[in-house]
Amino acid sequence: MAPIPKISKPICLIENPGDKKLSVNEEAKKILENISQPLVVVSIVGPYRSGKSYLLNKLSGNSAGGFSLGHTLSANTKGIWMWCAPHPKKSDHTLILLDTEGVGDVEKADQENDCIILSLAMLMSSAVIYNTKATIDQDAVKKLHSMTTTHQYITEKASQADGPDVQTADGDHTLPLLVWTLRDATLKLELNGRPVSADEYLENCLQDITPVKSPRTQSQNKARKTIRKFFPKRKCFVFDIPSSDKETLSRMDQVSETKLQAGFTEETKHFCQFVLEEVPPKRLKGGMTVTGSRFAHLLQSYLDVVRRQDIGVLEDSLSNMFTSENNKGIKRSLEGYENKMSSQHVNSLQEFQQNHEAAMKEAKQEFNKSYVTHEKNREEYLDELKAILLTKKDEIWKMCEDSSIQRCNDIKAQLESRIQQSLNENKYHVPGGHKTFTNDKESAIQEYNQKPDKGVKAEDVLQDFLSSLEAMEKVILKTHQDLPDAAPKIFQVPDPNDSTQLTKYIQNYQLPHGPFSRILIQLFGFAGHGKSSFANSCLFTLSNGRFNDYAGEATSQGGKTMDRRAYKLTNCISIVDNRGFSKMNSAEEWEIYAQLCHFVPLNEIVSWNKNLDDRINLITQSALEPSDVIVPVLIYSSENSFAGNESDNIKEFLKQAQKLTGILPFIVLTKSKKAPRSTLKNTFSRMGMENVYCIENYILSDQLAQRRKHVNLLQVLYDILQCVNYHMKARSDFQNRRNDWLRFLMTKAGTILKT
């Protein structure tokens, strides 16, 4: 909320120059325009020299420097004067006090001016204080009725427009609260000898006179009925004479309350307490709370209403203001949407759409908070807001695309420059040049993919980049084929579902020149889950001959393999059938990692029960082959489900296998036809495994070659080779890796000893 502008004294709100028309004071209007808090507007009306300003000063809590108390017989307040201050009882509200010039000033040339001033006060107020003296007599009732005549005429016209059964107030707000203050009262509050309260006294004075015996009585009843109808909520306070001392009365704003009658000061406190606690905020039609800025907007309309006696003037002004308020709500919602969408980085259309839907939902909720009931209903405004947001969405998406293209093109230019430099240095048109180009291209792709915040056009720019390299690669490949010392022809697999292409690729696969000459596909898993059958199946698919049980297929749950057996698939690819898990406890776990790191010799019995010394000797005396690339593969039967803490143990093994070998393990789910596989596959995916395959092994009882079985098995081997190709680009130092393995197994051995 904006702070309330400080004013040192009351300021004229409605100017009444006497010989000219009433007008709004622009200085006071500017003060109101800067108040964003809801207003509680209290005005006071009544005869001049009746002590109105004193009561307002008490409400404001500012006796010194407040509303002026006149000491002569002429009216001191002209027009309507305003005082604004923080509301003492309602936080985040502003109290507006309006002091009107007194009625019955003999110096006025136009008595109709009284009606206009008082009607204005009633239009603008949450509560009207009617300040009279001595008693509530017929003259006081008549004066109050005459004050409401203009206002009554306006509201009756509004009622006629709405229909005869509709009771409306001023067409724009709830009916004001009437607080009748009876000053210098000496009467005893009794009715028919019974003591009554001030409120009961007021209600009795406003009841119809019965029986009606004359036109005069009928006129009096009409006035009372009008007041009851216009002020359905009423309150009365009766004040004693403040002091018997005339000097004290002439300067009440300057003397201490101790010099005033106790009854007067006590009633003044009750009056202030009631007004500050019970008078509600000023509201418009539909329940809209009036803030200072809205009040300022309506001032001229209020003035035009009482001049023309036409509520339509105010209705038009309210309609314009409600439209303006709702348009501001749309603008705020749009700004919130734009800020939220612009502050979030996205890398795909799906992300952008999700952000849009969330931001649009928030924008609609924000608009609903500020919506003002209007001829144009909420749904029409929401449809308008939605259309604006969709247009803004397209603009922001275009900005996302442009920003992403610029970012990605900058990255692409750097990578193209590197490849062009190698081309200029003739690194590609030489024996092995195509391999060099392929490695450089893959490295460029990897570097491109690792760059953060590329945005929504990353894939499109990458494809443009690859297309730009395609013509270059064709020329390099042609040169490479024509060279006498060129490397063997590289077989391509255009169709990954073609078993002939897959077989040819695997059979002719060669590792790049370097420290590695063999790939060891290491099979792990629980005994009886199909490791040996998988090894047999891979040998069968690549042999183009008869099925043979080389690995020794298990005939019962529990498996037969007790040692590590290696089977040669091609000149540079071997598949290793390791001894299967039993319980995967700490003893087995150490042997499993020793097999994985290739410390356990091939074709030798694997014992789970080695002592600490045997384990230390094994890993320190083993002569590792520095030329082996180890690929971990976990075999798991789809017929099984995890029991106990198996899931945690397997997850830990897969994590360590990747850390030790540098390659994310492959998962092969066997017997996939006999059990649902989606749940198990999802379980491994949640462990972070990217390569999960569902296959059927060839076994002794089912060795008839089938195309789909062949293709599934060959695709596993093909993907393993593609993974090796990817990792060969970042060749690691073998000796450092061997030292890491030694430290890992030594630590594991020590941990087992302690347990």
Side-chain angles (χ1 to χ4, degrees):
M1 294 287 184
I4 300 171
K6 291 183 178 180
I7 57 174
S8 58
K9 58 183 180 179
I11 185 171
C12 185
L13 178 64
I14 303 297
E15 297 175 334
N16 185 14
D19 57 341
K20 299 179 182 179
K21 292 182 179 180
L22 299 177
S23 61
V24 177
N25 181 0
E26 291 300 320
E27 184 181 354
K29 183 179 178 181
K30 288 179 180 178
I31 292 174
L32 289 168
E33 286 174 344
N34 291 320
I35 299 175
S36 60
Q37 293 179 339
L39 302 183
V40 176
V41 185
V42 178
S43 63
I44 191 165
V45 299
Y48 79 97
R49 299 296 300 127
S50 60
K52 300 190 304 298
S53 300
Y54 176 82
L55 291 180
L56 289 184
N57 286 337
K58 286 299 177 182
L59 288 173
S60 69
N62 188 5
S63 57
F67 291 98
S68 174
L69 274 64
H71 308 316
T72 65
L73 293 180
S74 62
N76 197 56
T77 302
K78 295 293 184 180
I80 299 178
W81 287 70
M82 174 186 76
W83 176 272
C84 57
H87 198 291
K89 298 290 185 179
K90 295 179 173 66
S91 61
D92 296 333
H93 283 63
T94 297
L95 178 64
I96 299 292
L97 300 174
L98 301 178
D99 190 8
T100 64
E101 63 180 75
V103 297
D105 185 355
V106 294
E107 296 181 5
K108 289 184 181 179
D110 183 7
Q111 293 300 315
E112 184 181 349
N113 190 73
D114 285 348
C115 292
I116 294 176
I117 290 289
L118 298 170
S119 291
L120 266 176
M122 293 176 187
L123 276 170
M124 293 189 293
S125 302
S126 311
V128 176
I129 302 170
Y130 182 38
N131 197 58
T132 63
K133 286 199 171 189
T135 62
I136 300 178
D137 54 19
Q138 184 55 41
D139 184 57
V141 172
K142 181 179 179 181
K143 286 182 179 178
L144 179 60
H145 176 249
S146 66
M147 294 176 202
T148 63
T149 300
T150 300
H151 203 286
Q152 179 190 4
Y153 173 75
I154 295 169
T155 55
E156 282 179 354
K157 287 182 68 177
S159 297
Q160 292 167 6
D162 291 335
D165 297 329
V166 178
Q167 290 189 357
T168 181
D170 51 18
D172 73 312
H173 60 34
T174 54
L175 292 160
L177 169 66
L178 172 65
V179 180
W180 196 314
T181 51
L182 195 60
R183 306 290 294 278
D184 301 343
T186 57
L187 77 163
K188 194 172 184 180
L189 294 179
E190 287 184 350
L191 290 175
N192 300 322
R194 176 179 64 86
V196 294
S197 66
D199 291 339
E200 291 173 323
Y201 171 67
L202 172 62
E203 294 307 310
N204 182 71
C205 293
L206 294 179
Q207 292 303 309
D208 290 350
I209 302 172
T210 56
V212 178
K213 296 181 178 180
S214 66
R216 180 181 179 185
T217 306
Q218 188 175 16
S219 175
Q220 291 173 343
N221 283 347
K222 182 178 180 182
R224 297 182 182 206
K225 182 178 180 180
T226 299
I227 294 173
R228 293 199 306 270
K229 179 180 178 181
F230 188 75
F231 298 108
K233 297 179 181 179
R234 302 178 288 274
K235 181 69 178 177
C236 182
F237 291 92
V238 178
F239 294 86
D240 293 338
I241 298 174
S243 174
S244 58
D245 181 45
K246 291 185 177 180
E247 180 65 22
T248 299
L249 292 175
S250 67
R251 52 189 187 90
M252 282 179 60
D253 56 337
Q254 301 174 16
V255 301
S256 170
E257 287 187 353
T258 58
K259 293 188 177 182
L260 302 177
Q261 295 287 352
F264 175 82
T265 57
E266 189 67 23
E267 189 73 350
T268 301
K269 290 178 182 177
H270 291 160
F271 162 78
C272 292
Q273 181 179 3
F274 174 83
V275 172
L276 294 177
E277 292 182 356
E278 300 299 329
V279 175
K282 166 78 173 171
R283 297 187 185 278
L284 300 175
K285 181 170 59 178
M288 179 182 181
T289 302
V290 176
T291 61
S293 57
R294 291 169 180 165
F295 193 72
H297 177 89
L298 293 172
L299 280 175
Q300 188 61 47
S301 300
Y302 285 138
L303 199 53
D304 291 341
V305 165
V306 295
R307 280 179 183 164
R308 303 179 193 177
Q309 298 190 4
D310 184 1
I311 199 69
V313 175
L314 184 58
E315 293 290 347
D316 290 342
S317 181
L318 285 172
S319 178
N320 293 335
M321 187 178 76
F322 291 165
T323 300
S324 175
E325 290 287 335
N326 287 330
N327 287 338
K328 288 178 183 177
I330 286 180
K331 184 179 179 181
R332 285 193 298 271
S333 297
L334 175 60
E335 289 173 351
Y337 171 89
E338 189 171 5
N339 291 336
K340 185 175 181 65
M341 291 294 290
S342 300
S343 64
Q344 294 177 320
H345 182 82
V346 294
N347 290 306
S348 68
L349 177 59
Q350 182 181 5
E351 286 183 52
F352 181 83
Q353 182 64 26
Q354 290 173 346
N355 290 345
H356 160 72
E357 291 173 0
M360 184 163 66
K361 182 179 179 181
E362 289 185 17
K364 289 181 177 179
Q365 291 173 343
E366 183 63 29
F367 175 78
N368 284 331
K369 292 177 184 177
S370 62
Y371 170 72
V372 180
T373 304
H374 184 36
E375 293 89 346
K376 186 175 177 180
N377 64 43
R378 185 193 306 266
E379 291 305 318
E380 291 180 279
Y381 277 110
L382 288 175
D383 288 343
E384 180 182 340
L385 175 60
K386 181 179 179 180
I388 294 172
L389 293 182
L390 289 176
T391 300
K392 180 58 65 176
K393 170 193 174 185
D394 293 340
E395 293 176 8
I396 296 175
W397 173 251
K398 184 64 169 60
M399 292 170 58
C400 288
E401 287 185 317
D402 293 344
S403 174
S404 176
I405 289 173
Q406 180 63 47
R407 163 75 172 153
C408 294
N409 280 338
D410 290 343
I411 299 171
K412 185 181 77 168
Q414 296 175 3
L415 301 176
E416 286 177 333
S417 175
R418 254 183 251 162
I419 292 177
Q420 186 61 44
Q421 182 178 353
S422 296
L423 183 66
N424 296 339
E425 294 173 356
N426 199 32
K427 291 183 178 180
Y428 301 144
H429 297 296
V430 294
H434 180 263
K435 187 65 177 179
T436 303
F437 174 81
T438 302
N439 289 339
D440 288 351
K441 181 177 73 171
E442 293 299 325
S443 296
I445 294 172
Q446 182 180 8
E447 183 175 345
Y448 178 89
N449 288 332
Q450 289 176 346
K451 293 288 185 180
D453 301 330
K454 294 188 293 296
V456 297
K457 302 298 287 184
E459 187 60 31
D460 292 344
V461 175
L462 176 59
Q463 292 305 316
D464 290 342
F465 176 47
L466 296 179
S467 297
S468 69
L469 297 179
E470 187 175 345
M472 184 186 298
E473 184 170 10
K474 288 180 180 178
V475 175
I476 294 170
L477 187 58
K478 179 65 169 63
T479 303
H480 186 254
Q481 292 169 345
D482 293 340
L483 289 172
D485 296 328
K489 184 177 180 181
I490 299 176
F491 293 93
Q492 303 296 325
V493 183
D495 184 3
N497 290 311
D498 188 325
S499 61
T500 302
Q501 293 179 23
L502 290 169
T503 301
K504 193 172 183 180
Y505 179 89
I506 296 168
Q507 289 175 339
N508 291 276
Y509 178 85
Q510 291 186 10
L511 280 164
H513 294 293
F516 302 103
S517 60
R518 182 175 64 168
I519 298 172
L520 283 187
I521 301 174
Q522 294 251 45
L523 305 183
F524 295 91
F526 288 91
H529 278 233
K531 296 192 311 304
S532 299
S533 295
F534 180 75
N536 286 336
S537 298
C538 291
L539 290 164
F540 177 46
T541 56
L542 292 173
S543 68
N544 296 320
R546 293 176 55 190
F547 175 83
N548 290 293
D549 184 18
Y550 294 108
E553 176 187 318
T555 56
S556 63
Q557 186 72 16
K560 294 171 58 176
T561 304
M562 302 297 290
D563 53 4
R564 294 186 73 222
R565 298 180 186 176
Y567 303 94
K568 190 173 182 180
L569 296 179
T570 71
N571 288 333
C572 66
I573 306 171
S574 291
I575 190 165
V576 180
D577 187 9
N578 291 288
R579 182 176 179 182
F581 312 158
S582 176
K583 299 180 180 179
M584 205 176 181
N585 55 25
S586 58
E588 289 186 9
E589 183 184 20
W590 191 93
E591 294 292 337
I592 291 166
Y593 287 122
Q595 293 178 86
L596 173 67
C597 296
H598 203 26
F599 283 96
V600 178
L602 291 169
N603 304 317
E604 289 189 12
I605 297 295
V606 177
S607 171
W608 301 132
N609 300 315
K610 291 187 182 74
N611 59 37
L612 179 60
D613 290 337
D614 289 338
R615 288 174 176 167
I616 299 300
N617 290 334
L618 175 67
I619 61 177
T620 55
Q621 295 177 10
S622 294
L624 296 185
E625 292 293 332
S627 58
D628 291 334
V629 179
I630 297 176
V631 180
V633 178
L634 179 73
I635 309 294
Y636 198 92
S637 172
S638 295
E639 291 182 330
N640 292 71
S641 59
F642 295 129
N645 60 349
E646 278 184 9
S647 176
D648 293 337
N649 292 340
I650 289 177
K651 184 177 180 180
E652 179 62 19
F653 166 73
L654 295 173
K655 176 182 175 182
Q656 291 297 342
Q658 180 187 10
K659 185 175 180 181
L660 291 168
T661 65
I663 295 177
L664 187 67
F666 285 70
I667 310 298
V668 176
L669 303 179
T670 62
K671 302 180 181 180
S672 58
K673 285 185 178 179
K674 297 182 180 180
R677 55 192 181 180
S678 59
T679 301
L680 192 57
K681 188 173 183 179
N682 290 338
T683 299
F684 281 103
S685 296
R686 287 193 296 270
M687 292 181 185
M689 299 299 103
E690 297 177 355
N691 303 300
V692 184
Y693 304 84
C694 299
I695 61 102
E696 282 289 320
N697 283 324
Y698 287 103
I699 55 178
L700 289 169
S701 59
D702 184 13
Q703 50 183 278
L704 183 64
Q706 299 177 29
R707 177 186 172 279
R708 179 42 53 190
K709 276 189 180 182
H710 261 54
V711 170
N712 288 344
L713 291 161
L714 290 169
Q715 284 177 339
V716 176
L717 297 175
Y718 175 80
D719 288 349
I720 287 174
L721 298 181
Q722 296 304 302
C723 178
V724 171
N725 289 340
Y726 176 82
H727 285 282
M728 285 300 96
K729 295 188 299 254
R731 298 169 182 169
S732 61
D733 181 79
F734 181 84
Q735 189 60 42
N736 288 340
R737 174 158 292 183
R738 183 181 187 278
N739 291 335
D740 290 340
W741 294 349
L742 283 168
R743 283 192 292 271
F744 175 80
L745 290 172
M746 291 287 283
T747 302
K748 277 285 182 185
T751 302
I752 294 170
L753 179 63
K754 291 178 182 179
T755 58

